[in-house]
Amino acid sequence: MKAEIISVGTELLLGQLVDTNSVWLSQQLTSLGIDSHFKTTVGDNASNIEQVMALATQRADIIIATGGLGPTQDDITKETLAKTLGLELVYDEALAETIKEKFAIRNIEMSQNNYRQAYYPKGAVVLDQFPGTAPGLYLNHDNTHYFLLPGVPYEMKAIFESSVITKLREIAPIEEQIYTEIVKVWGIPESDVAEKIAKIDDDLAEIGNPKLSYLASGINGISVRISAKSQNEENALSLIKPYQDEIEALLKPYIFGHNSDTMEEYILSLCKKNDFKIACAEWFTAGMMASRLMAYGKTLEVFTGGAIKRGPFKREYLTEIQNELGSDVVLAVTEHPSEKTTVWECQLHILLNDQYFSKMIQIPRHQKEEAMAFAVINCFNFLKNQLQTVEE
Amino acid sequence: MKAEIISVGTELLLGQLVDTNSVWLSQQLTSLGIDSHFKTTVGDNASNIEQVMALATQRADIIIATGGLGPTQDDITKETLAKTLGLELVYDEALAETIKEKFAIRNIEMSQNNYRQAYYPKGAVVLDQFPGTAPGLYLNHDNTHYFLLPGVPYEMKAIFESSVITKLREIAPIEEQIYTEIVKVWGIPESDVAEKIAKIDDDLAEIGNPKLSYLASGINGISVRISAKSQNEENALSLIKPYQDEIEALLKPYIFGHNSDTMEEYILSLCKKNDFKIACAEWFTAGMMASRLMAYGKTLEVFTGGAIKRGPFKREYLTEIQNELGSDVVLAVTEHPSEKTTVWECQLHILLNDQYFSKMIQIPRHQKEEAMAFAVINCFNFLKNQLQTVEE
């Protein structure tokens, strides 16, 4: 079974938008053990979309297209697929009602345009549970399987997760699949990570399975990925494990998680384990640290709140926050006044019960939002190191 | 002149790496006035690369391929292009010397593998100044122009900027270029935007230049894009202006900016104009609203701080914040306790001097971080509407 991904949207060809959808879809196909050999981006142009659809139909069994399902005139993916396959477009009364209800819930009157969204190529089925107004579609035509998904990333992902995965498992039962374990680290440059595990890297390059790769995602840490191809997970993990153990031993002080773990999740779990409640005081990051803790969403009882206030912060101020918000830990970031024009200087503070820690970091003066995110992960990492010291 | 971008690399198909190269190249082509209709990603597989090269040769005049120029066995872009065009590979002694010197400078002994990098299809020329060990290549074959560039982003960009741009200007002298003006709106569904400006859309569909398109980017608002192709900016803008004026008149209450403007920028500029200082009180969004104001970075004197505290908030609490942080405006978001399982209910509050406004919104219960961002832009928009009322 071969799959092919098609991204539809002129803005993608103009470079006005990064196509994160196709990256995410590629990852999903990989983890489902489905090979994909081509990925094509095409603009909102009927004859070009037709050309791409026809070619994909020739060479793939599964075709996943994103984008062009909206209510406007330039949304033509469904029409074009219908034309490519010589199918007529049909109107689905029940679907129109479902879309209408979505507007009713939000107390918005539905416009005439949205009725366009209730048409699809004859034979297609509407995929359950679409969070926006654009339904995802599945069509089996001459044993080629077409999935049409909306271009808005969270809508696309929701439909993929609730409907497409199950369908793909039916179509392409898993034979060999790639399983990946990721070790996530922070507080060490990527080149030093590579140097520390160079021997394992060389060994694996010769063995071929499992494989080793790195991905430095900046503010989300460095991912060391060990991937094995196998018929089942148990076998894959047994191939991965000895190397993972060795890598973890070499990188131990820098590890904050595995796979999709985030630094904030790790911090929150450490706090929970120690029965610590946590609050924030921020200026340079102005609430970004707190909002990361909130966005994780699962340990609300651990996070008690925060203050966004111009610094500098003295220890006494952190004690005030500690008392006011009923927390054991206060994490704080302030900007340090500096005459340097190439870096921001930030002070990180931790009040952990009655212990106080503080350190300065420098962040290259580029984009402010990136710099704030960099300060956040560094502050979390600073707490991680202190909490681990407490544990030892 | 039509261009086509080809990204070579199995890691791109597996979703292990985001293809930022092709986004950057698309932007470059757009600003050089060169149309591109397709972008293809293909793995390190000879027959698949050949297939993509052959197809691109049929439909494009300029082909830019990135990746697969490294020293290892899976780097086969040059070999494959040679095979596709029936050319032999030649060895360039001088190039081999240049590569060797690059290693000598870094005090590294060059491996045997790197001699592979001194081969190229007969007729190709080496592009000047390559920062890594992989040279970029240009080949004119039967009036199709091929550029082969390394996949490492900074190497690719350096070669593009030092050599490819000049070459492209020779091949495709700028006659026409695409200029775009974007009108950004919030507080109205995309389908209603389309309905309101349907007549203009129909007219432009017939005229062909300028063109109209929409981009709903969720939490960053809806972009209405008017693009004109022209020999110069002045003329393009004069083509765009009458339609832009008409569109802006129709969408006036929903507009918060143009081009790369953000909602927070608009809020901050409105506050600045009215000499209002602004503070936030948040629970559901837990600092995300404040951090957005901080991330904009340019109007720090307008933003005075915030509190992250469990709600519900009474008007009195907002007055406290107003006094404590010395602000004229307090923007607040809290979660409203609700038994609904499909939505979060949030209350938005504004204290504007001594006027108090409040409203409830519902947000689909999917990903928490998305929902927080949705609450943030809605709260900003709520303030925008109140400030505009004040102005009128």
Side-chain angles (χ1 to χ4, degrees), chain A residues 12-13 15-16 26-27 30 36 39 41 51 59 73 111-112 114 283 286 291 294 305-306 308, chain B residues 12-15 26-27 36 39-41 51 59 191-192 195 202 225 283 286 291 294 305-306 308:
Chain A
L12 299 170
L13 280 182
Q16 288 169 340
S26 297
Q27 291 166 350
T30 302
S36 80
K39 208 156 84 173
T41 306
Q51 195 187 130
R59 61 189 182 189
Q73 301 231 12
S111 85
Q112 214 45 38
N114 289 93
W283 185 244
S291 70
M294 178 64 101
I308 301 161
Chain B
L12 299 171
L13 281 182
L14 293 175
S26 296
Q27 291 165 351
S36 79
K39 212 156 84 173
T40 311
T41 306
Q51 193 187 130
R59 61 189 182 188
S191 50
D192 286 11
E195 203 167 282
D202 288 344
R225 312 161 40 86
W283 184 244
S291 71
M294 178 64 101
I308 301 161

mmCIF file of all heavy atoms in Angstrom, chain A residues 12-13 15-16 26-27 30 36 39 41 51 59 73 111-112 114 283 286 291 294 305-306 308, chain B residues 12-15 26-27 36 39-41 51 59 191-192 195 202 225 283 286 291 294 305-306 308:
data_model
loop_
_atom_site.group_PDB
_atom_site.id
_atom_site.type_symbol
_atom_site.label_atom_id
_atom_site.label_comp_id
_atom_site.label_asym_id
_atom_site.label_seq_id
_atom_site.Cartn_x
_atom_site.Cartn_y
_atom_site.Cartn_z
ATOM 1 N N LEU A 12 0.446 28.308 0.010
ATOM 2 C CA LEU A 12 1.577 27.409 0.270
ATOM 3 C C LEU A 12 2.630 27.539 -0.829
ATOM 4 O O LEU A 12 3.824 27.466 -0.574
ATOM 5 C CB LEU A 12 1.107 25.954 0.360
ATOM 6 C CG LEU A 12 0.094 25.637 1.463
ATOM 7 C CD1 LEU A 12 -0.464 24.229 1.287
ATOM 8 C CD2 LEU A 12 0.727 25.790 2.833
ATOM 9 N N LEU A 13 2.166 27.723 -2.069
ATOM 10 C CA LEU A 13 3.100 27.879 -3.198
ATOM 11 C C LEU A 13 3.816 29.222 -3.148
ATOM 12 O O LEU A 13 4.938 29.353 -3.618
ATOM 13 C CB LEU A 13 2.357 27.781 -4.527
ATOM 14 C CG LEU A 13 2.023 26.393 -5.031
ATOM 15 C CD1 LEU A 13 1.344 26.503 -6.382
ATOM 16 C CD2 LEU A 13 3.262 25.521 -5.149
ATOM 17 N N GLY A 15 4.660 30.597 -0.441
ATOM 18 C CA GLY A 15 5.525 30.617 0.738
ATOM 19 C C GLY A 15 4.983 31.503 1.843
ATOM 20 O O GLY A 15 5.713 31.962 2.703
ATOM 21 N N GLN A 16 3.655 31.742 1.824
ATOM 22 C CA GLN A 16 3.071 32.610 2.845
ATOM 23 C C GLN A 16 2.652 31.836 4.079
ATOM 24 O O GLN A 16 2.284 32.413 5.092
ATOM 25 C CB GLN A 16 1.861 33.349 2.265
ATOM 26 C CG GLN A 16 2.300 34.413 1.270
ATOM 27 C CD GLN A 16 1.166 34.980 0.482
ATOM 28 O OE1 GLN A 16 0.114 34.366 0.386
ATOM 29 N NE2 GLN A 16 1.379 36.139 -0.098
ATOM 30 N N SER A 26 2.517 13.028 7.486
ATOM 31 C CA SER A 26 3.618 12.109 7.204
ATOM 32 C C SER A 26 3.977 11.305 8.443
ATOM 33 O O SER A 26 4.210 10.101 8.377
ATOM 34 C CB SER A 26 4.863 12.892 6.769
ATOM 35 O OG SER A 26 4.618 13.577 5.570
ATOM 36 N N GLN A 27 4.015 11.990 9.579
ATOM 37 C CA GLN A 27 4.335 11.297 10.832
ATOM 38 C C GLN A 27 3.283 10.232 11.133
ATOM 39 O O GLN A 27 3.601 9.127 11.561
ATOM 40 C CB GLN A 27 4.395 12.295 11.989
ATOM 41 C CG GLN A 27 5.586 13.236 11.899
ATOM 42 C CD GLN A 27 5.464 14.435 12.836
ATOM 43 O OE1 GLN A 27 4.408 14.657 13.418
ATOM 44 N NE2 GLN A 27 6.528 15.214 12.953
ATOM 45 N N THR A 30 3.720 7.281 8.811
ATOM 46 C CA THR A 30 4.889 6.523 9.246
ATOM 47 C C THR A 30 4.523 5.620 10.413
ATOM 48 O O THR A 30 4.835 4.437 10.424
ATOM 49 C CB THR A 30 6.025 7.481 9.659
ATOM 50 O OG1 THR A 30 6.337 8.319 8.548
ATOM 51 C CG2 THR A 30 7.268 6.718 10.074
ATOM 52 N N SER A 36 4.917 6.421 2.134
ATOM 53 C CA SER A 36 4.491 7.429 1.164
ATOM 54 C C SER A 36 5.720 7.841 0.365
ATOM 55 O O SER A 36 6.797 8.026 0.906
ATOM 56 C CB SER A 36 3.813 8.607 1.848
ATOM 57 O OG SER A 36 4.735 9.501 2.383
ATOM 58 N N LYS A 39 4.944 13.767 -2.096
ATOM 59 C CA LYS A 39 4.106 14.749 -1.431
ATOM 60 C C LYS A 39 4.060 15.919 -2.395
ATOM 61 O O LYS A 39 5.106 16.367 -2.863
ATOM 62 C CB LYS A 39 4.817 15.156 -0.141
ATOM 63 C CG LYS A 39 3.963 15.605 0.962
ATOM 64 C CD LYS A 39 4.652 15.421 2.313
ATOM 65 C CE LYS A 39 5.573 16.549 2.665
ATOM 66 N NZ LYS A 39 6.100 16.418 4.045
ATOM 67 N N THR A 41 2.499 19.826 -3.494
ATOM 68 C CA THR A 41 1.759 21.035 -3.147
ATOM 69 C C THR A 41 1.280 21.672 -4.439
ATOM 70 O O THR A 41 2.049 21.773 -5.397
ATOM 71 C CB THR A 41 2.682 22.021 -2.413
ATOM 72 O OG1 THR A 41 3.259 21.346 -1.306
ATOM 73 C CG2 THR A 41 1.908 23.227 -1.923
ATOM 74 N N GLN A 51 -4.546 17.627 -12.451
ATOM 75 C CA GLN A 51 -3.332 16.958 -12.907
ATOM 76 C C GLN A 51 -2.690 16.152 -11.758
ATOM 77 O O GLN A 51 -2.298 14.998 -11.930
ATOM 78 C CB GLN A 51 -2.353 18.026 -13.424
ATOM 79 C CG GLN A 51 -1.220 17.465 -14.231
ATOM 80 C CD GLN A 51 -0.177 18.532 -14.578
ATOM 81 O OE1 GLN A 51 1.006 18.320 -14.362
ATOM 82 N NE2 GLN A 51 -0.601 19.662 -15.113
ATOM 83 N N ARG A 59 -0.426 6.362 -9.222
ATOM 84 C CA ARG A 59 0.704 5.756 -8.524
ATOM 85 C C ARG A 59 0.476 5.418 -7.062
ATOM 86 O O ARG A 59 1.341 4.791 -6.450
ATOM 87 C CB ARG A 59 1.958 6.626 -8.714
ATOM 88 C CG ARG A 59 1.870 8.022 -8.173
ATOM 89 C CD ARG A 59 3.092 8.880 -8.597
ATOM 90 N NE ARG A 59 2.982 10.207 -8.017
ATOM 91 C CZ ARG A 59 3.742 11.242 -8.300
ATOM 92 N NH1 ARG A 59 4.711 11.123 -9.170
ATOM 93 N NH2 ARG A 59 3.565 12.404 -7.711
ATOM 94 N N GLN A 73 -15.345 30.548 -3.025
ATOM 95 C CA GLN A 73 -15.205 30.190 -4.438
ATOM 96 C C GLN A 73 -13.879 29.542 -4.780
ATOM 97 O O GLN A 73 -13.768 28.814 -5.759
ATOM 98 C CB GLN A 73 -15.325 31.464 -5.274
ATOM 99 C CG GLN A 73 -16.635 32.183 -5.071
ATOM 100 C CD GLN A 73 -17.310 32.484 -6.384
ATOM 101 O OE1 GLN A 73 -16.900 31.969 -7.414
ATOM 102 N NE2 GLN A 73 -18.351 33.301 -6.353
ATOM 103 N N SER A 111 -24.569 31.436 6.374
ATOM 104 C CA SER A 111 -24.686 32.127 5.091
ATOM 105 C C SER A 111 -24.955 31.126 3.968
ATOM 106 O O SER A 111 -24.729 29.931 4.111
ATOM 107 C CB SER A 111 -23.420 32.916 4.793
ATOM 108 O OG SER A 111 -22.486 32.069 4.183
ATOM 109 N N GLN A 112 -25.398 31.657 2.867
ATOM 110 C CA GLN A 112 -25.744 30.861 1.704
ATOM 111 C C GLN A 112 -24.547 30.034 1.227
ATOM 112 O O GLN A 112 -24.680 28.882 0.842
ATOM 113 C CB GLN A 112 -26.235 31.812 0.598
ATOM 114 C CG GLN A 112 -27.335 31.273 -0.303
ATOM 115 C CD GLN A 112 -28.464 30.577 0.439
ATOM 116 O OE1 GLN A 112 -28.882 30.991 1.513
ATOM 117 N NE2 GLN A 112 -28.940 29.470 -0.125
ATOM 118 N N ASN A 114 -22.290 28.525 2.816
ATOM 119 C CA ASN A 114 -21.970 27.301 3.539
ATOM 120 C C ASN A 114 -22.700 26.083 2.985
ATOM 121 O O ASN A 114 -22.306 24.960 3.266
ATOM 122 C CB ASN A 114 -22.240 27.465 5.025
ATOM 123 C CG ASN A 114 -21.211 28.385 5.667
ATOM 124 O OD1 ASN A 114 -21.426 29.583 5.772
ATOM 125 N ND2 ASN A 114 -20.073 27.827 6.032
ATOM 126 N N TRP A 283 8.031 39.104 34.423
ATOM 127 C CA TRP A 283 7.960 40.325 33.637
ATOM 128 C C TRP A 283 8.422 40.074 32.206
ATOM 129 O O TRP A 283 7.615 40.117 31.296
ATOM 130 C CB TRP A 283 8.699 41.510 34.285
ATOM 131 C CG TRP A 283 8.482 42.759 33.481
ATOM 132 C CD1 TRP A 283 9.406 43.479 32.818
ATOM 133 C CD2 TRP A 283 7.224 43.439 33.252
ATOM 134 N NE1 TRP A 283 8.832 44.540 32.158
ATOM 135 C CE2 TRP A 283 7.487 44.540 32.407
ATOM 136 C CE3 TRP A 283 5.898 43.206 33.646
ATOM 137 C CZ2 TRP A 283 6.479 45.410 31.972
ATOM 138 C CZ3 TRP A 283 4.887 44.071 33.201
ATOM 139 C CH2 TRP A 283 5.190 45.152 32.383
ATOM 140 N N ALA A 286 6.069 37.682 30.921
ATOM 141 C CA ALA A 286 4.728 38.271 31.047
ATOM 142 C C ALA A 286 3.566 37.278 30.965
ATOM 143 O O ALA A 286 2.605 37.523 30.245
ATOM 144 C CB ALA A 286 4.538 39.366 30.007
ATOM 145 N N SER A 291 1.013 30.433 31.397
ATOM 146 C CA SER A 291 0.055 29.914 30.412
ATOM 147 C C SER A 291 0.490 28.548 29.888
ATOM 148 O O SER A 291 -0.335 27.716 29.543
ATOM 149 C CB SER A 291 -0.177 30.902 29.268
ATOM 150 O OG SER A 291 0.949 31.008 28.453
ATOM 151 N N MET A 294 -0.774 26.162 32.422
ATOM 152 C CA MET A 294 -2.226 26.034 32.283
ATOM 153 C C MET A 294 -2.574 25.217 31.039
ATOM 154 O O MET A 294 -3.494 24.400 31.074
ATOM 155 C CB MET A 294 -2.848 27.424 32.179
ATOM 156 C CG MET A 294 -4.352 27.421 31.976
ATOM 157 S SD MET A 294 -5.229 26.722 33.386
ATOM 158 C CE MET A 294 -5.761 28.234 34.184
ATOM 159 N N GLY A 305 -1.496 30.079 40.326
ATOM 160 C CA GLY A 305 -1.680 31.417 39.763
ATOM 161 C C GLY A 305 -0.374 32.149 39.574
ATOM 162 O O GLY A 305 0.698 31.535 39.625
ATOM 163 N N GLY A 306 -0.471 33.449 39.321
ATOM 164 C CA GLY A 306 0.758 34.193 39.073
ATOM 165 C C GLY A 306 0.560 35.690 39.073
ATOM 166 O O GLY A 306 -0.569 36.191 39.137
ATOM 167 N N ILE A 308 2.071 39.291 37.038
ATOM 168 C CA ILE A 308 2.860 39.847 35.934
ATOM 169 C C ILE A 308 3.149 41.284 36.325
ATOM 170 O O ILE A 308 2.250 42.124 36.379
ATOM 171 C CB ILE A 308 2.074 39.773 34.616
ATOM 172 C CG1 ILE A 308 1.726 38.319 34.307
ATOM 173 C CG2 ILE A 308 2.888 40.378 33.480
ATOM 174 C CD1 ILE A 308 0.599 38.153 33.330
ATOM 175 N N LEU B 12 12.003 13.973 4.991
ATOM 176 C CA LEU B 12 10.874 14.882 4.760
ATOM 177 C C LEU B 12 9.581 14.095 4.568
ATOM 178 O O LEU B 12 8.514 14.503 5.001
ATOM 179 C CB LEU B 12 11.126 15.754 3.526
ATOM 180 C CG LEU B 12 12.354 16.675 3.589
ATOM 181 C CD1 LEU B 12 12.613 17.305 2.233
ATOM 182 C CD2 LEU B 12 12.169 17.743 4.650
ATOM 183 N N LEU B 13 9.698 12.948 3.903
ATOM 184 C CA LEU B 13 8.513 12.111 3.682
ATOM 185 C C LEU B 13 8.062 11.434 4.969
ATOM 186 O O LEU B 13 6.894 11.121 5.141
ATOM 187 C CB LEU B 13 8.806 11.022 2.646
ATOM 188 C CG LEU B 13 8.777 11.444 1.189
ATOM 189 C CD1 LEU B 13 9.028 10.231 0.313
ATOM 190 C CD2 LEU B 13 7.452 12.077 0.809
ATOM 191 N N LEU B 14 9.006 11.196 5.858
ATOM 192 C CA LEU B 14 8.670 10.555 7.129
ATOM 193 C C LEU B 14 8.141 11.565 8.143
ATOM 194 O O LEU B 14 7.692 11.201 9.218
ATOM 195 C CB LEU B 14 9.884 9.835 7.710
ATOM 196 C CG LEU B 14 10.405 8.622 6.936
ATOM 197 C CD1 LEU B 14 11.679 8.088 7.576
ATOM 198 C CD2 LEU B 14 9.346 7.516 6.894
ATOM 199 N N GLY B 15 8.220 12.852 7.783
ATOM 200 C CA GLY B 15 7.733 13.883 8.703
ATOM 201 C C GLY B 15 8.688 14.140 9.849
ATOM 202 O O GLY B 15 8.316 14.655 10.886
ATOM 203 N N SER B 26 10.038 29.398 -2.148
ATOM 204 C CA SER B 26 8.780 29.896 -2.706
ATOM 205 C C SER B 26 8.703 31.407 -2.549
ATOM 206 O O SER B 26 8.294 32.121 -3.467
ATOM 207 C CB SER B 26 7.587 29.279 -1.978
ATOM 208 O OG SER B 26 7.557 27.900 -2.184
ATOM 209 N N GLN B 27 9.095 31.878 -1.367
ATOM 210 C CA GLN B 27 9.067 33.326 -1.132
ATOM 211 C C GLN B 27 10.009 34.049 -2.091
ATOM 212 O O GLN B 27 9.682 35.100 -2.639
ATOM 213 C CB GLN B 27 9.479 33.633 0.314
ATOM 214 C CG GLN B 27 8.448 33.188 1.334
ATOM 215 C CD GLN B 27 8.996 33.151 2.749
ATOM 216 O OE1 GLN B 27 10.195 33.289 2.974
ATOM 217 N NE2 GLN B 27 8.111 32.968 3.718
ATOM 218 N N SER B 36 5.284 29.645 -9.592
ATOM 219 C CA SER B 36 5.532 28.205 -9.457
ATOM 220 C C SER B 36 4.191 27.523 -9.223
ATOM 221 O O SER B 36 3.366 28.016 -8.462
ATOM 222 C CB SER B 36 6.537 27.915 -8.348
ATOM 223 O OG SER B 36 5.942 27.969 -7.101
ATOM 224 N N LYS B 39 5.010 21.903 -6.169
ATOM 225 C CA LYS B 39 6.143 21.691 -5.284
ATOM 226 C C LYS B 39 6.074 20.211 -4.931
ATOM 227 O O LYS B 39 5.010 19.732 -4.532
ATOM 228 C CB LYS B 39 5.906 22.535 -4.026
ATOM 229 C CG LYS B 39 7.110 23.047 -3.372
ATOM 230 C CD LYS B 39 6.773 24.293 -2.556
ATOM 231 C CE LYS B 39 6.249 23.977 -1.183
ATOM 232 N NZ LYS B 39 6.093 25.213 -0.375
ATOM 233 N N THR B 40 7.152 19.480 -5.120
ATOM 234 C CA THR B 40 7.083 18.042 -4.864
ATOM 235 C C THR B 40 8.164 17.626 -3.879
ATOM 236 O O THR B 40 9.298 18.110 -3.947
ATOM 237 C CB THR B 40 7.257 17.250 -6.175
ATOM 238 O OG1 THR B 40 6.394 17.794 -7.154
ATOM 239 C CG2 THR B 40 6.921 15.780 -5.975
ATOM 240 N N THR B 41 7.790 16.730 -2.979
ATOM 241 C CA THR B 41 8.755 16.149 -2.056
ATOM 242 C C THR B 41 8.920 14.686 -2.416
ATOM 243 O O THR B 41 7.936 13.987 -2.648
ATOM 244 C CB THR B 41 8.240 16.258 -0.614
ATOM 245 O OG1 THR B 41 7.916 17.617 -0.346
ATOM 246 C CG2 THR B 41 9.280 15.780 0.379
ATOM 247 N N GLN B 51 11.435 10.046 -11.766
ATOM 248 C CA GLN B 51 10.059 10.292 -12.191
ATOM 249 C C GLN B 51 9.687 11.764 -11.981
ATOM 250 O O GLN B 51 9.095 12.407 -12.855
ATOM 251 C CB GLN B 51 9.130 9.386 -11.368
ATOM 252 C CG GLN B 51 7.726 9.314 -11.903
ATOM 253 C CD GLN B 51 6.795 8.552 -10.966
ATOM 254 O OE1 GLN B 51 5.722 9.040 -10.639
ATOM 255 N NE2 GLN B 51 7.194 7.376 -10.527
ATOM 256 N N ARG B 59 6.942 20.121 -17.516
ATOM 257 C CA ARG B 59 5.987 21.205 -17.261
ATOM 258 C C ARG B 59 6.590 22.511 -16.772
ATOM 259 O O ARG B 59 5.871 23.503 -16.642
ATOM 260 C CB ARG B 59 4.868 20.721 -16.321
ATOM 261 C CG ARG B 59 5.307 20.258 -14.967
ATOM 262 C CD ARG B 59 4.141 19.596 -14.178
ATOM 263 N NE ARG B 59 4.616 19.216 -12.848
ATOM 264 C CZ ARG B 59 3.938 18.492 -11.980
ATOM 265 N NH1 ARG B 59 2.735 18.055 -12.278
ATOM 266 N NH2 ARG B 59 4.443 18.209 -10.794
ATOM 267 N N SER B 191 -17.438 32.360 6.021
ATOM 268 C CA SER B 191 -18.476 32.284 4.996
ATOM 269 C C SER B 191 -19.239 33.603 4.883
ATOM 270 O O SER B 191 -19.660 33.992 3.803
ATOM 271 C CB SER B 191 -19.431 31.135 5.315
ATOM 272 O OG SER B 191 -19.845 31.227 6.657
ATOM 273 N N ASP B 192 -19.413 34.317 6.006
ATOM 274 C CA ASP B 192 -20.086 35.620 5.956
ATOM 275 C C ASP B 192 -19.207 36.666 5.291
ATOM 276 O O ASP B 192 -19.709 37.541 4.594
ATOM 277 C CB ASP B 192 -20.457 36.086 7.367
ATOM 278 C CG ASP B 192 -21.646 35.314 7.919
ATOM 279 O OD1 ASP B 192 -22.024 34.302 7.306
ATOM 280 O OD2 ASP B 192 -22.185 35.722 8.954
ATOM 281 N N GLU B 195 -19.709 36.079 1.741
ATOM 282 C CA GLU B 195 -21.013 36.524 1.262
ATOM 283 C C GLU B 195 -21.055 38.041 1.109
ATOM 284 O O GLU B 195 -21.574 38.568 0.123
ATOM 285 C CB GLU B 195 -22.098 36.058 2.224
ATOM 286 C CG GLU B 195 -23.463 35.982 1.572
ATOM 287 C CD GLU B 195 -24.440 35.237 2.445
ATOM 288 O OE1 GLU B 195 -24.366 33.990 2.450
ATOM 289 O OE2 GLU B 195 -25.246 35.878 3.145
ATOM 290 N N ASP B 202 -16.922 37.809 -7.554
ATOM 291 C CA ASP B 202 -17.385 37.421 -8.896
ATOM 292 C C ASP B 202 -16.752 38.310 -9.966
ATOM 293 O O ASP B 202 -16.279 37.820 -10.990
ATOM 294 C CB ASP B 202 -18.918 37.538 -8.990
ATOM 295 C CG ASP B 202 -19.598 36.436 -8.192
ATOM 296 O OD1 ASP B 202 -18.907 35.446 -7.840
ATOM 297 O OD2 ASP B 202 -20.796 36.559 -7.906
ATOM 298 N N ARG B 225 -7.147 38.521 0.928
ATOM 299 C CA ARG B 225 -5.943 38.871 0.190
ATOM 300 C C ARG B 225 -6.288 39.345 -1.211
ATOM 301 O O ARG B 225 -6.959 38.645 -1.956
ATOM 302 C CB ARG B 225 -5.030 37.643 0.093
ATOM 303 C CG ARG B 225 -4.828 36.932 1.433
ATOM 304 C CD ARG B 225 -4.326 35.503 1.253
ATOM 305 N NE ARG B 225 -3.362 35.480 0.212
ATOM 306 C CZ ARG B 225 -2.083 35.734 0.375
ATOM 307 N NH1 ARG B 225 -1.616 35.934 1.571
ATOM 308 N NH2 ARG B 225 -1.264 35.747 -0.652
ATOM 309 N N TRP B 283 -7.710 33.735 34.178
ATOM 310 C CA TRP B 283 -7.569 32.377 34.689
ATOM 311 C C TRP B 283 -7.571 31.376 33.539
ATOM 312 O O TRP B 283 -6.563 30.738 33.281
ATOM 313 C CB TRP B 283 -8.607 32.027 35.761
ATOM 314 C CG TRP B 283 -8.359 30.654 36.326
ATOM 315 C CD1 TRP B 283 -9.175 29.573 36.238
ATOM 316 C CD2 TRP B 283 -7.194 30.233 37.053
ATOM 317 N NE1 TRP B 283 -8.588 28.489 36.854
ATOM 318 C CE2 TRP B 283 -7.370 28.863 37.357
ATOM 319 C CE3 TRP B 283 -6.021 30.865 37.459
ATOM 320 C CZ2 TRP B 283 -6.418 28.118 38.054
ATOM 321 C CZ3 TRP B 283 -5.076 30.116 38.158
ATOM 322 C CH2 TRP B 283 -5.277 28.769 38.454
ATOM 323 N N ALA B 286 -4.644 32.192 31.646
ATOM 324 C CA ALA B 286 -3.493 32.115 32.551
ATOM 325 C C ALA B 286 -2.230 32.828 32.070
ATOM 326 O O ALA B 286 -1.144 32.265 32.146
ATOM 327 C CB ALA B 286 -3.173 30.651 32.856
ATOM 328 N N SER B 291 1.044 37.813 27.802
ATOM 329 C CA SER B 291 2.302 37.512 27.105
ATOM 330 C C SER B 291 2.231 37.906 25.631
ATOM 331 O O SER B 291 3.234 38.270 25.026
ATOM 332 C CB SER B 291 2.692 36.037 27.278
ATOM 333 O OG SER B 291 1.834 35.202 26.557
ATOM 334 N N MET B 294 3.048 41.518 25.616
ATOM 335 C CA MET B 294 4.488 41.685 25.851
ATOM 336 C C MET B 294 5.291 41.288 24.613
ATOM 337 O O MET B 294 6.269 41.948 24.264
ATOM 338 C CB MET B 294 4.917 40.824 27.045
ATOM 339 C CG MET B 294 6.388 40.881 27.365
ATOM 340 S SD MET B 294 6.891 42.534 27.885
ATOM 341 C CE MET B 294 6.937 42.284 29.664
ATOM 342 N N GLY B 305 0.898 45.236 33.379
ATOM 343 C CA GLY B 305 1.049 43.986 34.124
ATOM 344 C C GLY B 305 -0.233 43.206 34.215
ATOM 345 O O GLY B 305 -1.187 43.478 33.471
ATOM 346 N N GLY B 306 -0.267 42.213 35.098
ATOM 347 C CA GLY B 306 -1.469 41.401 35.180
ATOM 348 C C GLY B 306 -1.485 40.472 36.376
ATOM 349 O O GLY B 306 -0.508 40.357 37.114
ATOM 350 N N ILE B 308 -2.820 36.445 37.525
ATOM 351 C CA ILE B 308 -3.335 35.150 37.097
ATOM 352 C C ILE B 308 -3.933 34.501 38.332
ATOM 353 O O ILE B 308 -3.206 34.133 39.268
ATOM 354 C CB ILE B 308 -2.204 34.292 36.505
ATOM 355 C CG1 ILE B 308 -1.588 35.022 35.302
ATOM 356 C CG2 ILE B 308 -2.726 32.925 36.070
ATOM 357 C CD1 ILE B 308 -0.213 34.533 34.930
#
